[in-house]
Amino acid sequence: GAGVSQSPSNKVTEKGKDVELRCDPISGHTALYWYRQSLGQGLEFLIYFQGNSAPDKSGLPSDRFSAERTGGSVSTLTIQRTQQEDSAVYLCASSLRGRELSWNEQFFGPGTRLTVL
Amino acid sequence: GDSVTQMEGPVTLSEEACLTINCTYTATGYPSLFWYVQYPGEGLQLLLKATKADDKGSNKGFEATYRKETTSFHLEKGSVQVSDSAVYFCALSTGNQFYFGTGTSLTVIP
């Protein structure tokens, strides 16, 4: 079946504008993660969704960042009033079960490269 | 807190050379350990994993052994190929959170 897909693949925006990034996880995967990958940095955890539980938002860097997951499937990451430091690759991953199963593998999408001018 | 530390890159090797990328971790409890690989222009994909001490993960000629006594999970390959050029990420799962290393870029030259 299809893997994790993300859109758009590239997004260039002006400082102060809002952007929406979309993630389509693998069908049937209950867990969904968003990460940010900056140049020379590792993956920075942003937010985690598992089933119908309240999301873990502990990684969101500011209140300009928010995410939702509709119907337990597609997720949208929204960044309001973008800043230049938001420029990065935003990665989405999904897994069949939740992260409480430590052996659970994450499947990653190709990412969205965001450039804020 | 829990964390992963991996060898800084970039690493450049000639084809058929031996590869070791060091990874050490700090964790309470009994984490699972992973190596993910990111080929140019692609997303991360799982390379191998180990879920308990002394387990050895292996795939595509790569190996890594979960060493509890040294809190390490070093990635090794005996003979690298040009197609192994990628960024390699060590990762740790505690059952509560995932932690990724900063990535090590590997370039293999013919």
Side-chain angles (χ1 to χ4, degrees):
Chain A
V4 177
S5 61
Q6 293 186 244
S7 60
S9 55
N10 278 286
K11 176 72 177 178
V12 179
T13 191
E14 293 179 348
K15 177 181 171 182
K17 301 281 181 139
D18 297 352
V19 294
E20 282 190 353
L21 312 179
R22 177 188 168 104
C23 172
D24 283 85
I26 293 173
S27 177
H29 280 196
T30 63
L32 187 146
Y33 311 73
W34 282 99
Y35 296 90
R36 179 166 68 177
Q37 184 179 21
S38 303
L39 192 63
Q41 303 294 314
L43 272 66
E44 177 188 4
F45 165 74
L46 297 177
I47 189 168
Y48 164 71
F49 295 91
Q50 167 56 17
N52 296 320
S53 303
D56 174 1
K57 304 179 183 180
S58 60
L60 295 178
S62 78
D63 59 8
R64 295 186 296 104
F65 288 72
S66 62
E68 62 179 25
R69 188 179 184 193
T70 53
S73 181
V74 171
S75 177
T76 303
L77 176 69
T78 301
I79 309 173
Q80 296 179 309
R81 304 181 302 281
T82 52
Q83 304 295 311
Q84 288 183 331
E85 61 263 28
D86 299 335
S87 296
V89 176
Y90 289 82
L91 293 170
C92 174
S94 69
S95 61
L96 182 60
R97 303 283 296 280
R99 63 187 182 189
E100 70 279 4
L101 299 174
S102 65
W103 43 262
N104 223 346
E105 173 188 352
Q106 294 184 35
F107 294 81
F108 282 82
T112 294
R113 181 175 297 279
L114 174 66
T115 303
V116 182
L117 301 177
Chain B
D2 300 332
S3 67
V4 172
T5 303
Q6 69 179 96
M7 181 174 133
E8 295 282 336
V11 174
T12 302
L13 294 174
S14 297
E15 204 165 21
E16 298 183 3
C18 268
L19 169 71
T20 299
I21 301 178
N22 290 336
C23 173
T24 57
Y25 68 90
T26 302
T28 53
Y30 303 96
S32 294
L33 301 171
F34 304 78
W35 277 100
Y36 281 80
V37 58
Q38 186 176 30
Y39 296 105
E42 299 183 16
L44 276 76
Q45 56 187 272
L46 180 68
L47 179 60
L48 53 84
K49 71 179 183 184
T51 59
K52 61 183 188 297
D54 300 325
D55 268 3
K56 177 187 284 188
S58 60
N59 186 24
K60 299 182 180 180
F62 290 89
E63 292 183 341
T65 301
Y66 187 161
R67 302 276 188 209
K68 193 167 187 293
E69 63 276 13
T70 53
T71 61
S72 65
F73 193 56
H74 305 322
L75 183 68
E76 298 177 326
K77 187 173 186 182
S79 175
V80 294
Q81 306 299 312
V82 171
S83 57
D84 293 327
S85 298
V87 181
Y88 293 82
F89 292 88
C90 186
L92 157 74
S93 174
T94 63
N96 187 49
Q97 185 55 281
F98 251 86
Y99 299 91
F100 286 85
T102 53
T104 301
S105 173
L106 170 66
T107 301
V108 181
I109 54 177

